[in-house]
Amino acid sequence: MAASATEGAGLMIRDPETAVVVTGLGVLSPIGTTVETFWRAALEGVVGTGPLDRPDAADFPAALAGEVPGFDAPRGRGDRSARLAVAAAAAAVADAGLGGRVTDPYRTGVCLGTLLGNRAGLEPAVTGFHRGAAASEVPSALGVSLAAPAGPPIVDLADAVGRDLGLRGPSLVVGTACASGNSALAHAADTIRAGRADMMLAGGVDELSSGVMTMFASLRSLAPDALRPFDRDRAGLVVSEGAAVLVLESAAHARRRGARVLAELAGWASASDAHHMTAPHPEGRGAVLSMRRALDRAGIAPESVDHISAHGTGTPSNDRIEAHAVREVFGGHAPAVTSLKGALGHTQGAASAIEAVACVLALRDGVVPPTANLNVPDPQCPVDVVRGAARELPVRVAVNNAFGFGGNTACTVFTRPGLTRSVRTTSAGSTR
């Protein structure tokens, strides 16, 4: 394709027929349950984590958490994760100008990421263990049979959205640990590119869980007071909950229905650390591969990236390794980095989906939110982390990082609608 004369040499316009665009957003988080309330709070650096406020708080092995405030959704059915997913999807569909219903349910699908959503059947055993009950006593002590768990399975998350909206397209739940939201966006985009759907509702969801808290507590990964991404004194994460859904569709389909296009999902990729069950590779190999592959797929040079939404969990090794992976990919170029987990806590499988919403809004408004709870930047994390206040910045390209247990890494790249993008080439004229 020829370079655009108005944009300069080395720039090109991607075929609009094959582009995957974002036309609707829905989010429920500890700092807001609508897109605009969430975004205002993020820009103000509001922190949504604090003392656990629920009747069963004694069953959780941590006093701090991030909860979706006042959530009581009559729409949908099933466990809390399913209700959160349905509420986020309904909001995204409305935001896309679809009036609560899609145009062709047979060409519209759902792909959601989760760490362990719809977990009612698993919690009794974890609660029993936490209370010190012997394994043989758990079913009788709690009045449940572990052989027949209560509640719907994880796969029902996507089906619950499909039932609520009457969708009959592809339906899938993705589990790549804390990279699940980005993995779901990537699979949904592939589905559209392959012609298997015109529109996909994609994102992530997870609820608070004593089981997940117990896991992180056993790994000594929970923060004693606050999640402090990239801070010299960071000491761990705070578990939280939430959901986010993005309406993705082919640019051609969006144009036919006269949709408002918020952004383009220009690139996506995943890779494995191939290193350890829980610890990231010391050199961040999977993170480096995911970022490079996603940028290559988008046809975007690293120096064209304005903003990185970091995974930024606030754990000592993860933040340091992610920072060095960013330096490996971007070299001397310094995109503005934000970790929303300082404000949200770690929303598990929903994290990168909520952060994807923030990337789209940063593109829309030309502003990057601060990293909450960052007081003293760690010199071992040599990246340009936004702190203290939101930063006005004409964001054209935003990269969204997500890294999970099992070596799962996933990255998505968002650009302004119809953006003319630079192409990274090697001396041989090819991409990596």
Side-chain angles (χ1 to χ4, degrees), residues 21 23 78 96 104 164 172 256 266-267 322 329 332 347 351 386 406 408 411:
V21 298
T23 58
D104 185 352
D164 188 73
L172 183 71
R256 286 196 300 270
E322 181 176 9
V329 173
T347 53
V386 180
N408 289 291
C411 180

Side-chain angles (χ1 to χ4, degrees), residues 28-246:
L28 293 94
S29 80
I31 62 171
T33 54
T34 68
V35 169
E36 298 306 329
T37 57
F38 157 76
W39 188 230
R40 283 196 301 272
L43 293 178
E44 293 170 3
V46 172
V47 175
T49 58
L52 198 60
D53 181 23
R54 49 190 292 168
D56 59 346
D59 294 332
F60 287 72
L64 295 176
E67 303 174 72
V68 175
F71 176 69
D72 182 18
R75 297 172 61 88
R77 55 179 181 252
D79 288 350
R80 184 173 176 86
S81 288
R83 298 198 307 273
L84 285 166
V86 167
V93 167
D95 187 53
L98 292 163
R101 291 290 161 182
V102 301
T103 51
D104 185 352
Y106 292 91
R107 296 282 298 169
T108 304
V110 183
C111 187
L112 294 177
T114 191
L115 178 62
L116 198 63
N118 277 355
R119 53 193 58 151
L122 301 176
E123 291 299 278
V126 175
T127 301
F129 176 81
H130 181 61
R131 290 175 175 172
S136 60
E137 298 172 349
V138 169
S140 58
L142 300 177
V144 298
S145 170
L146 299 185
I154 288 176
V155 295
D156 188 65
L157 290 171
D159 291 341
V161 173
R163 290 194 300 270
D164 188 73
L165 295 170
L167 307 182
R168 290 171 172 79
S171 181
L172 183 71
V173 173
V174 176
T176 54
C178 298
S180 297
N182 263 355
S183 296
L185 291 168
H187 180 83
D190 279 336
T191 300
I192 292 170
R193 279 279 182 89
R196 295 193 296 271
D198 296 321
M199 179 184 293
M200 293 289 292
L201 308 186
V205 60
D206 261 303
E207 65 193 83
L208 275 176
S209 162
S210 62
V212 169
M213 277 194 179
T214 299
M215 175 187 70
F216 282 119
S218 69
L219 295 170
R220 299 181 180 178
S221 296
L222 294 178
D225 56 353
L227 196 161
R228 305 180 186 279
F230 302 109
D231 193 283
R232 181 194 62 190
D233 300 320
R234 65 190 183 278
L237 57 84
V238 175
V239 180
S240 60
E241 65 179 359
V245 171
L246 289 78

Side-chain angles (χ1 to χ4, degrees), residues 276-350:
H276 189 269
M277 177 58 204
T278 58
H281 190 279
E283 298 173 6
R285 289 180 180 173
V288 169
L289 282 173
S290 284
M291 285 186 276
R292 283 180 171 161
R293 288 171 175 173
L295 289 170
D296 285 345
R297 181 162 193 166
I300 293 174
E303 59 267 23
S304 296
V305 175
D306 304 299
H307 171 50
I308 298 173
S309 179
H311 188 58
T313 59
T315 54
S317 62
N318 284 9
D319 288 6
R320 175 176 50 79
I321 290 169
E322 181 176 9
H324 283 274
V326 167
R327 286 295 296 266
E328 174 72 17
V329 173
F330 294 91
H333 176 58
V337 174
T338 294
S339 170
L340 280 180
K341 291 183 179 66
L344 299 170
H346 195 334
T347 53
Q348 310 164 70

